[in-house]
Amino acid sequence: MNLKRFISIVISVAILIIIYSQIELTKLLAIFKNCDLFWMIISLGMVIPLTLFTSWRLQQLIPQEKNLSFIEANRLILGSSVLNMVLPSKMGDIAKAYFMRERNNVSGSLSLAIVIFEKACDLLSLLLWCVFGLLVYPAKDHLFWLMTIIITGGLIIGILLLSSHQFADLFFKLSAKIAPRKLAKKLNNMRLAWQEMHHYFWDNKQQLLLITVTSIFIWFLHLLQIWLFIIALKAYAPFIASLALSPLSILAGLLPLTFAGVGTRDAALIFFYQPYFNQATAAALGLLCTSRYFLPAVIGLPFLGQMLATAKKFNQTN
């Protein structure tokens, strides 16, 4: 285990200790014991259609002549979910790109470009729903207005990076100049992959529109799943409010501080949902949100050996 991963686990554990020291475990257990079993099964079961839609999107991203089957796309998505849980720096997604290069004869630069575009679409779709939710959120204070401005700015920059080759090139060049040498090299590699991505995806506007709409729909399902978790716990928050609060909590979990967002995401859920339900219910919601990452990883365990071998090959060639 590298030092960065160890520190992230320590921070996650420390935050969880602080959270659960303020919550009676008997109350937390009672919440799960008294949950609505029907909606719990439905909400947890949404992992399956979410995985299928994400796999179908990956299949559409690959050039048709490369013949990535739907089953193979599912294997890649589930396998990368496992690696992202156990390896640092989202190595599962990198291994997925390498796997496509090895098995589907996709060039290294194109496979990396596909993974980058896939992740960019996910992030921008999340930001889009977050901005929408924040704009219609009824009880905005100064903090919420500040977050609305910051996240809207991030969404605009992200759209410009995807839509403007000149803006993206300037952005990565400036970032590489002010970044440390080790990071600057990665940014230059990213700039080249980004150029490949622009060339590949903007040549087919119909495909670009399909992927964009699919990504927005996938993230609507993600946010719907979190709201159904709330219903399953026999709590309530308006769906419109949840469109603002759950993306904010997910974004908190994306901060590179903790292991798989555990701790920061839980704390954000407790903070943002406090107008609607108590800490114990929010902590239960945090556990269910963690299951959204854990369940696909468990389902993907049969593919772990194959994906680990791919990750090992990638490390040996880089």
Side-chain angles (χ1 to χ4, degrees):
M1 182 187 298
N2 70 6
L3 181 61
K4 184 178 178 182
R5 177 51 61 101
F6 175 75
I7 292 173
S8 68
I9 292 174
V10 169
I11 295 173
S12 287
V13 171
I15 295 175
L16 291 178
I17 289 173
I18 294 171
I19 290 173
Y20 287 106
S21 66
Q22 302 176 32
I23 298 172
E24 292 183 26
L25 290 182
T26 52
K27 289 184 178 179
L28 184 64
L29 292 174
I31 288 170
F32 281 111
K33 184 178 179 181
N34 297 322
C35 73
D36 188 314
L37 187 59
F38 173 79
W39 285 113
M40 185 64 74
I41 293 172
I42 293 296
S43 55
L44 289 173
M46 283 189 69
V47 166
I48 296 173
L50 279 165
T51 301
L52 295 177
F53 274 116
T54 305
S55 301
W56 182 82
R57 181 183 63 178
L58 178 62
Q59 192 183 20
Q60 305 311 304
L61 288 170
I62 300 288
Q64 291 185 357
E65 65 272 13
K66 302 302 180 182
N67 297 321
L68 177 68
S69 69
F70 185 59
I71 293 175
E72 186 77 5
N74 275 277
R75 187 180 297 129
L76 285 173
I77 294 296
L78 293 171
S80 64
S81 296
V82 184
L83 292 187
N84 283 336
M85 290 292 291
V86 299
L87 294 179
S89 303
K90 293 291 184 181
M91 271 297 298
D93 293 315
I94 303 299
K96 181 169 65 178
Y98 189 83
F99 196 90
M100 287 188 289
R101 190 182 84 177
E102 292 291 298
R103 291 290 294 270
N104 300 98
N105 198 28
V106 179
S107 70
S109 58
L110 180 56
S111 62
L112 182 58
I114 288 170
V115 170
I116 290 171
F117 186 74
E118 182 186 35
K119 296 295 111 181
C121 284
D122 280 334
L123 180 58
L124 289 181
S125 298
L126 175 61
L127 291 177
L128 179 66
W129 282 116
C130 189
V131 168
F132 174 78
L134 284 169
L135 288 175
V136 298
Y137 188 69
K140 285 193 286 293
D141 55 17
H142 293 302
L143 175 62
F144 274 85
W145 277 115
L146 178 63
M147 289 187 295
T148 302
I149 293 169
I150 292 173
I151 293 172
T152 302
L155 177 62
I156 292 171
I157 291 173
I159 292 173
L160 286 173
L161 284 171
L162 278 183
S163 60
S164 171
H165 179 275
Q166 293 81 4
F167 180 85
D169 198 55
L170 178 62
F171 177 86
F172 284 113
K173 283 182 178 178
L174 290 176
S175 299
K177 284 184 178 180
I178 62 177
R181 183 177 299 178
K182 187 176 181 180
L183 181 58
K185 183 179 179 181
K186 291 183 179 180
L187 286 169
N188 281 322
N189 291 336
M190 178 72 78
R191 181 172 64 86
L192 296 175
W194 206 269
Q195 290 174 351
E196 177 84 12
M197 180 192 69
H198 269 275
H199 176 72
Y200 175 64
F201 289 105
W202 281 97
D203 279 351
N204 189 337
K205 302 294 193 302
Q206 186 175 358
Q207 183 197 37
L208 183 64
L209 178 61
L210 175 65
I211 299 302
T212 300
V213 172
T214 303
S215 299
I216 293 171
F217 176 68
I218 286 172
W219 270 97
F220 174 80
L221 292 182
H222 279 296
L223 301 179
L224 176 63
Q225 181 188 34
I226 294 173
W227 186 71
L228 291 178
F229 284 154
I230 296 172
I231 302 302
L233 294 172
K234 293 185 177 178
Y236 181 72
F239 181 62
I240 291 295
S242 193
L243 281 179
L245 303 180
S246 53
L248 286 173
S249 302
I250 293 172
L251 289 172
L254 293 178
L255 295 174
L257 300 173
T258 55
F259 172 71
V262 175
T264 47
R265 183 172 54 247
D266 301 76
L269 287 166
I270 291 172
F271 175 76
F272 289 124
Y273 279 98
Q274 58 183 331
Y276 300 103
F277 40 78
N278 59 33
Q279 282 191 344
T281 303
L285 179 60
L287 291 174
L288 290 174
C289 285
T290 298
S291 74
R292 299 174 62 251
Y293 305 93
F294 182 72
L295 288 176
V298 171
I299 298 171
L301 281 175
F303 314 122
L304 178 60
Q306 193 176 27
M307 293 296 288
L308 277 175
T310 301
K312 185 177 179 181
K313 286 182 181 179
F314 175 81
N315 284 329
Q316 289 173 347
T317 56
N318 287 273

